[in-house]
Every structure is written in C-alpha cells, then in structure tokens.
Amino acid sequence: MDELHDSQAQATPVWAIFSDLMAALVGIFVLITVWVIGIQLELSQSLQQEKARRQVEEQRRIALEDALRDPLSSGRITFHNGRIGISGSVLFALNSDVLQPKGEKLLSSLVEPLRNYLSEHDELLMVSGFTDDLAIQKGNPRYQDNWGLSAQRALTVTRTLIAQGMPADRIFAAAFGDNQPVVPNQSEASRAQNRRVEITTVPRQSNQAENDE
C-alpha cells in the first residue's frame, strides 16, 4: 500500500511539468500569432500608403497634363512620366545657348498653364538641360564641356520663363550634360533627341520640415 502511494506521489510532478510545458507552448503560439498579425497589419498599411501616394502622383500628372493641353495638342512639347520635354533644336542652335525666336514663343505659351498649375499645387519647377555625347567643338570659348552647355541652356530657359511672368521663387535650373539620354547616342537623329530641355514639377519642402532641420 505504501508503495502505491509512493508511485502516485512520484507521478504527480510529471503531469505538473507537462501542464506547464503546454501552457508555455500556448503562450509562445499566442505571441507568434500576435506578431504575424502585427506584420500583416503593417504590410497592409504600407500597401495602402503606397497606393495613396501613387494616386496622388497620378492626380498631379493628370492635372499638369490638363493644364498643358494646348501646347501638347500642337505637338510642340512632349509629356512623359510628369516631364515636359522640349527639343533642343526648337530652343537653340547647335552648340549655342542663345534662345531662338520660335523657342522663346514656345516658352511664352507654357507660362500661363504652368503658373496656373503652381497656384493650385505647392510645388516647384525644375528646368533641366541635357546634351548629346559629342564633345564641345574645339575653339569654343564659352563652354569647357557639355556640363557647361547644358547648365547655361537650363539657365537661359529659366530666366526667360521668369522674364515672361513665372514666379522666380517657384523655379530653378539643373544641368545633366550628356548623362541620362532618352535614347542611345547612335546617330544624328538619336543625338538630336538627347539634346533637350525638360521641365519637371517637384514637391516643395515645407516650412515645418525646414524648421525641424
């Protein structure tokens, strides 16, 4: 009889340990489940934020395209991925930064729609100059390289737009030289495509963000 009691006394701790182990496993399972749900919620929020961002960008693109309807319909400019493209041959003679009359007239047609767009959106205009891959002709004292030519062309367009009524605090110039060609520089026709000026809208940094810095 004493042996039976001893056997039961020895068996009890085993079940207690098993019960504790099961409780620990359940706890771990709950923690894993909560973690998985948290990850799923975070991914869902990220997807929603990305979707909202893309919708805002699409709305901006549509608004800008609508503002530029007349110049676009005439074929004088191109519009792709939010970039307004103007052929360099329309604006400038080869290796020149002097604006041609037809180029000045074209820029004049862009001022009002771009200004109207900026009045409704807290953005800036970036005027970018691009060239082909050919080196600047020797004996040209104005530019050392394509960086200089693209920079001066961008500045010429920027200053012309300001003179025609574009707010000076909403526009700036940038130069890319022969970088970022739209097509490979394989022929005169392709190089002519790469000699261009682009106007792009970019978000303006808020005053709050500037104060935080």
Side-chain angles (χ1 to χ4, degrees), residues 5-103:
H5 285 301
D6 292 340
S7 176
Q8 290 176 346
Q10 292 176 357
T12 300
V14 174
W15 287 105
I17 293 172
F18 180 76
S19 177
D20 292 341
L21 179 61
M22 290 300 296
L25 289 175
V26 170
I28 293 173
F29 176 77
V30 171
L31 289 175
I32 293 175
T33 302
V34 171
W35 177 75
V36 170
I37 293 174
I39 292 296
Q40 290 178 337
L41 288 174
E42 185 176 349
L43 288 174
S44 177
Q45 291 176 350
S46 297
L47 289 174
Q48 290 177 354
Q49 291 174 354
E50 178 64 18
K51 183 179 179 180
R53 184 187 65 80
R54 292 187 178 184
Q55 288 177 341
V56 170
E57 289 182 352
E58 181 66 12
Q59 291 171 356
R60 287 170 48 200
R61 185 196 65 78
I62 293 174
L64 182 56
E65 188 171 10
D66 185 63
L68 297 168
R69 184 179 302 171
D70 290 342
L72 281 170
S73 63
S74 68
R76 291 173 295 172
I77 64 173
T78 60
F79 187 76
H80 182 64
N81 289 335
R83 295 173 177 265
I84 304 166
I86 309 174
S87 171
S89 61
V90 173
L91 298 173
F92 306 101
L94 191 64
N95 289 323
S96 172
D97 61 23
V98 178
L99 195 62
Q100 300 183 121
K102 59 181 180 180

Side-chain angles (χ1 to χ4, degrees), residues 183-196:
V183 294
N185 288 288
Q186 297 177 340
S187 64
E188 175 52 35
S190 62
R191 288 187 172 91
Q193 287 183 259
N194 292 327
R195 295 191 296 269
R196 69 196 191 280

Side-chain angles (χ1 to χ4, degrees), residues 150-171:
S150 65
Q152 191 56 53
R153 285 182 170 180
L155 284 171
T156 296
V157 171
T158 300
R159 288 167 176 160
T160 300
L161 289 172
I162 292 173
Q164 293 174 342
M166 188 68 67
D169 63 340
R170 304 296 294 274
I171 188 170

